[in-house]
Structure formats: C-alpha cells, structure tokens
Amino acid sequence: MAKDENVTINDIINMATKYLATEDVALIKRAYDFANEAHHNQFRKSGEPYIIHPVQVAGILTQLEMDAETIAGGFLHDVVEDTEVTLADLEQAFNVEVAMLVDGVTKLGKIKYESKEVQQAENHRKMFVAMAKDIRVILIKLADRLHNMRTLKHLPPEKQRRISNETLEIFAPLAHRLGISTIKWELEDTALRYLNPQQYYRIVQLMKQKREERESYIKEVIQELAVELNDVNIEAEMSGRPKHLYSIYQKMVKQNKQFNEIYDLLAVRIIVESIKDCYAVLGIIHTNWKPMPGRFKDYIAMPKQNLYQSLHTTVIGPKGDPLEVQIRTKEMHEIAEYGIAAHWAYKEGKQVKSGKKSFEEKLTWFREILDWQNDTHDAEEFIESLKIDLFSDMVYVFTPKGEVIELPSGSIPLDFAYKIHTEIGNKTIGAKINGKMEPLDYKLENGDIVEVMTSKHSYGPSQDWLKMTQTSQAKSKIKQFFKKQRREENVIKGKEAVEKEIRALNIEPKEVLVPENMQRVFDKFNFTGEEDMYAAVGYQGITAALIATRLTEKIRQTKQKVQDLETTLEEVKTETKTQRSHKRDSGVKVEGVDNLLVRLAKCCNPVPGDDILGYITKGRGVSVHRSDCPNVQTQEAKERYLHVEWEEGNSDRKQYHVDIQITGYDRRGLLNEVLQVVNEMKTNMTHVNGKSDRNRIVVIQITILIHNTGHLRKVVERIKQIRDVYTVTRTVQ
C-alpha cells in the first residue's frame, strides 16, 4: 500500500470514481466536507491539521476498494469521539448504516473505569462485538491503526511502545485472520521498529548488504523458469517475493537462527491463470530442482481459515541454496494481499464462493464473538479469550471424513467436539486419535485424525471440562449446558456463595441485597433479574466475589469515610496539645505535631532533596510522600496534608531505599554490567528483579540505598551510559 505520501481528497475521489457509482462518490464527498467542518481548528501531535488523519484512513479504505459507506465511515470515524457531533447527527446527515459503523469504532470515553487496562478492554470488547455484526467496523479500525502507526514518531517513547505492543497483540493478528497481509506486514514491521529498534535497523542493514546478490540470483531463477514455462505454453508473472522484517526477526528469535540460516530470504512468487496451471508449474519446479522434505504445503486443496490459497514449496535452487516458491492464480493473489476486502460486495449482496464453502461460511468465527459476549461478563476475560481463539497459533486436524478443522494450539478432543456441534460435545465420552483411544485432555497436533465417541446415555459435561478446554466456544457451550440443566440448583448455590462473600466483608447480606444495589449489578453485567444473577454464579459464569464487591461498593465507601473522619478528628486533637517540632529517625521534621509516628512512604520512597509532604494516616501517624506521588493526589488525600521538612545535615548519615526501573535490549551480560556499575558507585543494593518480553525488551527493577537526590542522580547517569540501556526511571508503587 502506498505510504510515502499523504493522499488528498482529490486522490480519493479519483480512485473511487473508477469502481463506484456517481451517487456513492457524492456520499464520500459529503462525508469529507462534514468531517472537515467538524474537525476545524483541531490539530494532531505532529502539528498538522487533524483532518489529515481521517483523509488518510479513508484513502487506505479506498485503496482496498471498499464500499461508499465504509469510506464515509473512515472520514467520520473520530467525529463522535473528538467533536460535539452525535450519532443522531450522523444518522440524520447520512444514514443508519454510516452511524452504526462510526459507533462501532468510537471509544467509550464518558464512562469511568477502575483502570486504564479495564477501559481499554471494554473499548476492544465494544469494537469486536460491533465487528461481529458488521465486519466493515474492523476494516475502518485497521485503517485507523495503520495510519496511526505510520505517524507514531510524533508520540513519546512510552506511548510508542504501548501502542506497538497493542498492535502486535490485537490488530496485526486480526489483519492476519482477515487475510489482509498488505496491512498485517506493515503493522508488524512498524511495531518492531519502536519495540526493538536495535534489531529492526540491524535486519534492515543485513537486508541491504545482501540485496544485490539476492536480486541477481532471483533474476537467474526467473529466466530459467521462463524458458521452461514457455515450452509448455503457460503464461506467468514471476517476481522475487518481498521478505518482511518482522517475519525475519521472529525466525531469528523463536528458532534461534542467524540471518543467513533463514531459508525463505530467497523466494519467488509465480502468478498464473488457472488452478491447473498452478499444479503444472509445481511439477516443472520439482522436476528441475530437488524439493526439500517436509517443506511442501498445498493451501489450494486445503485453504487457510482466512481464505488464503497458494502452493508453497522449498527446493534446492540452481546454486545449491534453499529457494522458496509460491504459486497461485491472480484471484488467489488478490485475496492473499487484501483478504476479506477482496471479497467485498456488500451493497450488491453477492456471495463469493471459495471451493465448496461460501465466503460467509468461512467467517463463522466472527459470529461466535456474539456468543462469547453473552457468556463472558468481564471485559478483560473476554479479550483474553479472544486472543486465545483468534490470535494464537493454530493446529489443523481432520474429521474421519477428511474435513479440515482449525483450532487454537493446545486444543483437546473436547474443543474439537464442540467445534463440530454442541450436542456432540455434550455427549462426548471418549476420543480416538489416528485410530487409537486417547484421553480427553490429549493435546491435538497438526494432521491428527480425530474421531469423537459419544453416548446418548451420557450425563453431559463435567465441571472439570471448563478447566480442560482451550477454546472459548467450548467453554461457552459447557456453561450454557449447566445454565439450562441445573438452573434451580445453581440459583440456590449462587445465592449462598454471594451471601457468604458479603459476610466475609463484615457486612450483613440484608444491608446490601436491596433493589437499588441489585439493579446496578443487573445493568453492569446484563442480568435479566435476581435468579439470572445467582444462576450465573452457580454455574461459574461469574464469581461470587465480583458480585459481592459490586453489591457492597457503596456501603463500604460510606463506612470508610466515617472511619477516616473519626481518625482525622482524633489526630487533630493530638495536634492541638502541643506545638513543638517532633523528630524521628526518618530524618524528617513535622511542624506542630507530637506523639505521632513519622515514617517514609514505601510507595514513592522519598529521599533528601525531594519535595515532600506529610499525610495523616489512619492510626499510623504521619506518612511522608514525595510531592508528586500519585497515591496522595486525590481531593480526599489533600485534606490530610501536613507541612514537613528534611532535617538539616542528615543526608550524609542516613541511607534511603529507592526503586529504579531500567529498560533496554536483552543482550547477554546487560544485568551484570548494571550490577557492576552500582557496585562501582559504592552503592548498596537490596533487591534485583528482571524480565524480558518476546521482543527482547528487558525490564530490570532494582532497589538501592542512597543518601540524597544528588547521590541518586550520579548513579542514574552512570547506568544510562551502559550500552543497550534505553531508559532509567524512578518508580512509584
């Protein structure tokens, strides 16, 4: 996809005119005018007018040749979130369809959540549920994310890494599941650039060094093949297949390979007219060059779930090096590049066929999202389930009749059974794998032939199956069984569990099981009533602890405020007894307070030289925090502030704990160098912890003993000089 230059509204109109009707082009132009007016005087972090972003999003959708409503949604996707425009305004100005698409990609900005993580999970959940109703929602979101990744350089490093991680976890796998490789590769390569810049630019450099040699070799292969294909009258387009940086990086990390050990750096793509020609070309290649065992894959006979079709083979090429070859038709190539977008015929109501199964049938996993939504009350759990089912590595197994079934890696025969049919899953008593009886928790592998044994006398699923199964589809259907079969039992069990949890919070159930509280919980978790809520707890659809927490939320807050007020009054009385300075071993003076314990807060670990404030705690004296500590920035906390100061001449005698976080590239010896530097600075250390993610970014957390901020600054500056260290920050718990 073109990405070097920004497209203009005229470019979009010209592209759209080639495949859309006049009235559709007029709708697109109106959407641009509306968005331009709505975003007037708004600017991006880069300083550019905000309208540039929606124009680029619409441009990407036009390159995918999407319908007019989707492109209009691209222009308008931020107006509800970032301007005064409402969904009702959009419905009136355009139509219900456009308003629905915009609503699907609009974040839940006006609701307060417990944390940013929960809010992000809720936003993703909303988007996926909207996507399950209309796939075009996610195409707009992918275009939005693609342009945001292209302009990520304008954001601070912390946001760059957070957004890049989210892109690799959610959006790139989703583009893969939709078969849109042209977007998938760009998202992954760009994310790698910000998550592991050192490796990214190293691979770029290695690719440049070998480019001429590779291009010369590929040219020689193509010339040799052209002669062979001409002899049998097969017309073909041949080219070197571009290798993407993230794919190389993954192979280097996961398979522990060096750059020159990766087979498919040398790759040729051959595009022919028909499926018959695909197999004819394969025969010619295998006749001329020796195929490598286990490296042939026929995705034409057995297409991937994302509709991808192609023949893949690796042969020993003319110079004795491994050469990967992909063979496909023009239609297959378009689907490989643009996936679901290549099939789009929404307005015309067409149904594109691919083999024996229709396009709609191949994307039934989208519809399953709605089932998970109904059975999963926690947004974070919903997203984790989605990652497992949609974005994890897959295994491909066969039914006894030879039909291919795709399941997440780690799936067991029960997941297979529920994938086939709910009743088969519920009646399962055993399974044969490749003709041999295996336990129900057997981990399925690629190529296994799975035969499920059922019995009409089966009593149905066991509660243990919920822990054994891997897919959300299987878990959902097992929960539905318990929900229907044992409702009365579950209601009783659920009520007992909820009341037990409420008592564990030192609250009587009758205090909180009142209509107002109950209705708030019903609305939060989509329960139809009291029995529905208790039944859900009974069949483990939601935890009793979560329900009890929600029910008691208000009463606990009220009790806490009363306790806080009583404590504060008691401490104020103590304060008025004397107006003398009170010293403690903390090295801090508290003006006007006597007989109170003074301690340094462990959350922010203040040290001499920091701006500090005192905070009256509940029965534990005065806690001293750094002035910027987020734990004492609430309005309620500010009511408990006291003036405190560091004692003079104390900073060279005492030592103070400070937590430091170091991020960098995970190379051998990095941790040892950090520890050596701290030791050279004659600084004691009390705690060390480190972990590395899949992108080789390491996070090292250390606790050191220092005298004051000057001492701390010297240690930090010395650590920052270590090679491959990206950031050194002081942390707050």
Side-chain angles (χ1 to χ4, degrees), residues 478-626:
I478 294 166
K479 287 176 182 177
Q480 284 175 6
F481 175 86
F482 291 124
K483 188 176 180 179
K484 291 175 184 175
Q485 298 295 318
R486 306 175 184 173
R487 184 171 176 80
E488 288 185 16
E489 180 186 331
N490 284 329
V491 169
I492 295 169
K493 187 163 52 171
K495 185 173 183 181
E496 289 174 353
V498 170
E499 290 182 352
K500 182 180 177 182
E501 288 291 342
I502 292 171
R503 289 191 182 96
L505 296 170
N506 294 320
I507 298 171
E508 276 301 309
K510 64 181 180 181
E511 290 184 70
V512 293
L513 294 176
V514 295
E516 181 190 353
N517 276 347
M518 301 283 271
Q519 191 58 52
R520 196 169 64 253
V521 174
F522 299 160
D523 294 341
K524 168 70 180 173
F525 299 111
N526 298 318
F527 293 128
T528 55
E530 191 174 339
E531 281 197 359
D532 192 29
M533 179 184 77
Y534 289 137
V537 175
Y539 68 77
Q540 298 181 18
I542 192 169
T543 64
L546 182 56
I547 296 294
T549 301
R550 293 290 181 185
L551 285 169
T552 60
E553 197 169 17
K554 283 198 171 182
I555 196 168
R556 283 186 292 110
Q557 287 175 353
T558 303
K559 286 186 175 183
Q560 188 66 50
K561 284 180 180 178
V562 170
Q563 288 178 5
D564 289 352
L565 184 59
E566 289 173 352
T567 305
T568 303
L569 289 172
E570 196 62 39
E571 288 168 353
V572 168
K573 289 177 185 176
T574 305
E575 181 183 350
T576 56
K577 289 179 182 178
T578 178
Q579 295 295 317
R580 295 191 306 271
S581 292
H582 185 67
K583 296 184 180 179
R584 284 289 183 264
D585 291 340
S586 60
V588 174
K589 295 189 299 185
V590 183
E591 293 297 331
V593 178
D594 195 12
N595 296 330
L596 276 182
L597 174 66
V598 179
R599 61 186 180 87
L600 300 178
K602 291 183 179 179
C603 57
C604 58
N605 286 329
V607 299
D610 285 331
D611 288 333
I612 54 174
L613 57 83
Y615 173 77
I616 302 175
T617 63
K618 294 175 289 182
R620 298 181 65 189
V622 175
S623 176
V624 178
H625 294 256
R626 292 195 340 233

